[in-house]
Amino acid sequence: MTILTAQSGRGKTDLKPAPGSRYSTPPALRSEVGTMQIPAPFDYVRATTVENALELLARYGPESRVVAGGHSLLPMMKLRLSRPEWLIDINDLYELDFILRDGNQLRVGALTRHTTLLESDEVAGLFPIVRDAERVIADPVVRNRGTIGGSLCQADPAEDLSTVCGVLGAEAVIRGPGGERILSMSEFHRGPYETAVGQDELLCELRFGIRPRSGSAYEKVERRVGDWAVGAAGAAVALAADGTVDDAAVGLTALGLDHPLAGAAVVLRGRHPDEELFAEAGRLAAEACDPVADQRGPVDYKRHLADELTQRVLRRACARAAQMQEG
């Protein structure tokens, strides 16, 4: 076990191993806490296997948190919005870092980095929506360290991969003291910043069903490159042999819709893709979403985005499905 303690002076912080020590704010900086972002005291341990990570979660209880990329958890700790007593580092759990085609499924380990997903030609060939989304997630620094599991477990309403996994009908594989369980995305997500992963459990894998004659797409509007979405939409479409829509799913990001659009498949199924159909689906998305007015825009603008972006992603997903059908 390795515990980190901070030895700090003005403008400098050095981390070095100190078994048995706790991370704490030095007296010289305590008067500056009001103007600096400094986490509350915590202990740190590095897990070596999935079994070891589960043991540590059970040992340290509800005040422990798992960390991999850390781009969501660490800022919250600095703002004191999250105050875990223990951080369990899972970056050495290489058994959770994989992309594997297994029959009619694509299996992705929870520790797979955004960059790996972005650069995978196999993933892009089967699910182009993933590459669409990964291109607009944050910046290279975040994509190099952040993981698909961390993104999904954060469950931020403006997080892109939750929508992607939702419309693709992905399944989440969770392991804990009671063994393994597999959940749909609707079961996995319980609301903003809340998932079905228990305190003593670990998200280990995502499974995506591979369908013939299918296509998918994602599009996002942001105020600046790498920002959280003002609004985004994702769609996945499977075509029948006659070119009609066999199945479809539409999801929205940051627009007040937690799960894929109810009724989208009913509206689209059995019809030939055309502009009238896309417009109908767009109107349905605008009516179903429940955005809030904020610094990113008023409600009417966000409903317009839901409409327009839904049409765009359906148009592109259907075109990609038709291309796969011809190929």
Side-chain angles (χ1 to χ4, degrees), residues 285-300:
E287 294 170 0
C289 70
D290 186 24
V292 296
D294 57 20
Q295 69 272 25
R296 290 181 170 85
V299 169
D300 288 348

Side-chain angles (χ1 to χ4, degrees), residues 288-310:
C289 70
D290 186 24
V292 296
D294 57 20
Q295 69 272 25
R296 290 181 170 85
V299 169
D300 288 348
Y301 171 62
K302 293 186 176 183
R303 287 192 185 277
H304 167 72
L305 286 181
D307 183 346
E308 177 63 26
L309 293 176
T310 295

Side-chain angles (χ1 to χ4, degrees), residues 9 60 91 93 122 132 142 154 158 160 169 173 205 280 317 320:
Y60 297 122
N91 279 291
L93 274 55
E122 181 174 34
D132 289 347
V142 172
Q154 178 69 6
D160 301 286
V173 180
E205 181 181 333
E280 185 176 347
R320 287 171 169 171

Side-chain angles (χ1 to χ4, degrees), residues 35-115:
T35 58
M36 297 181 67
Q37 294 182 336
I38 300 175
F42 65 89
D43 286 316
Y44 169 97
V45 62
R46 199 172 185 95
T48 55
T49 65
V50 170
E51 289 73 18
N52 180 227
L54 294 175
E55 291 171 3
L56 293 170
L57 285 168
R59 182 187 307 170
Y60 297 122
E63 297 309 316
S64 61
R65 296 291 184 274
V66 166
V67 62
H71 290 287
S72 297
L73 177 60
L74 297 184
M76 293 177 69
M77 290 176 60
K78 289 180 179 180
L79 293 171
R80 304 292 179 101
L81 297 175
S82 180
R83 300 167 66 103
E85 295 181 1
W86 281 89
L87 285 189
I88 301 172
D89 190 330
I90 61 170
N91 279 291
D92 287 345
L93 274 55
Y94 300 111
E95 67 253 54
L96 300 185
D97 184 3
F98 63 87
I99 298 174
L100 173 66
R101 182 163 183 173
D102 184 9
N104 63 350
Q105 284 188 330
L106 184 72
R107 299 169 56 192
V108 178
L111 207 60
T112 304
R113 310 289 172 177
H114 293 300
T115 295

